[in-house]
Amino acid sequence: KINNTYIGTNSFVTLKNIRDINVLIVGNAFNPGIYTINGNSNMLHALNIAGGINEYGSYRDIELVRDGEVIDTLDIYKVLISGTHNLLSGLRSGDSIIVNPIQNTVYVESGLQRVGIYELLDNETISDLIRYANGYSRFADKRNIQIKRAFEGDYSSFKINPEEISSFEVKNGDSLYVREFRVNSVLVEGEVKNPGNYKFPIGT
């Protein structure tokens, strides 16, 4: 504006300081409360200052509320696994970050790279779960996939065909089991006809 108003004048503007803002973090954060943070912060920064998400909180459903309306939703799986969330919604004073309760959890017992408990959204399938767990382990038998499920006091286990993994929707409390063929490697040297490394199933 100065360049257009005053002929032959050049202006240089530098942002020296960024004002702090107050943000309310509620729900299932480790340390909920009101925090004073830098005005350039986003939801991930704010959650980190609050100590992260507690054991009852959702990593898939975190809401940014402004003036009583939800203006953005954060899915940390998309950030850490897919890198698809752009985090363009900057924070303002008076914003609230709500960490909603965890919903559907599925336990990976074996056969995938990262065994453990995963949170799945409605309509997500075994294929999504395998992707979140970093794919099959090198020992996995992809033809032998089972779902273990407890329902109304009964416990059942059923086999999943490989072609069903993209359509089979897992439920809260399910366990995924993929059989593994684990082997030991043995080096044979010396006066033998065929020295070298040999692999044997564990227990042989």
Side-chain angles (χ1 to χ4, degrees), residues 18-21 23 36-42 45 49 91:
I18 300 174
R19 70 184 181 94
D20 291 334
I21 59 175
V23 175
T36 300
I37 59 178
N38 186 285
N40 268 348
S41 300
N42 56 42
H45 297 143
I49 292 172
L91 300 178

Side-chain angles (χ1 to χ4, degrees), residues 18-154:
I18 300 174
R19 70 184 181 94
D20 291 334
I21 59 175
N22 292 323
V23 175
L24 175 64
I25 302 176
V26 297
N28 295 282
F30 193 78
N31 290 306
I34 298 175
Y35 290 87
T36 300
I37 59 178
N38 186 285
N40 268 348
S41 300
N42 56 42
M43 283 197 283
L44 285 178
H45 297 143
L47 289 169
N48 182 61
I49 292 172
I53 299 169
N54 67 25
E55 59 182 314
Y56 307 108
S58 172
Y59 283 77
R60 314 293 308 274
D61 186 16
I62 304 168
E63 297 175 336
L64 174 59
V65 177
R66 180 175 298 159
D67 298 326
E69 296 184 1
V70 177
I71 66 167
D72 198 6
T73 302
L74 174 63
D75 183 341
I76 294 182
Y77 276 31
K78 288 184 177 180
V79 176
L80 299 181
I81 298 175
S82 305
T84 56
H85 195 93
N86 53 28
L87 295 171
L88 291 180
S89 298
L91 300 178
R92 299 180 185 175
S93 274
D95 284 352
S96 297
I97 297 174
I98 302 175
V99 182
N100 290 304
I102 193 170
Q103 296 296 324
N104 301 319
T105 57
V106 178
Y107 178 57
V108 174
E109 292 187 16
S110 65
L112 302 185
Q113 296 277 16
R114 292 191 295 247
V115 299
I117 299 174
Y118 292 85
E119 180 182 2
L120 297 185
L121 301 177
D122 293 337
N123 302 322
E124 287 193 318
T125 65
I126 294 176
S127 179
D128 297 302
L129 180 60
I130 293 172
R131 178 165 56 90
Y132 296 149
N134 210 31
Y136 293 103
S137 72
R138 64 191 183 97
F139 302 112
D141 177 8
K142 300 178 184 179
R143 299 167 300 176
N144 196 319
I145 302 172
Q146 295 183 33
I147 288 291
K148 300 177 181 179
R149 176 174 297 170
F151 181 71
E152 295 183 350
D154 292 329

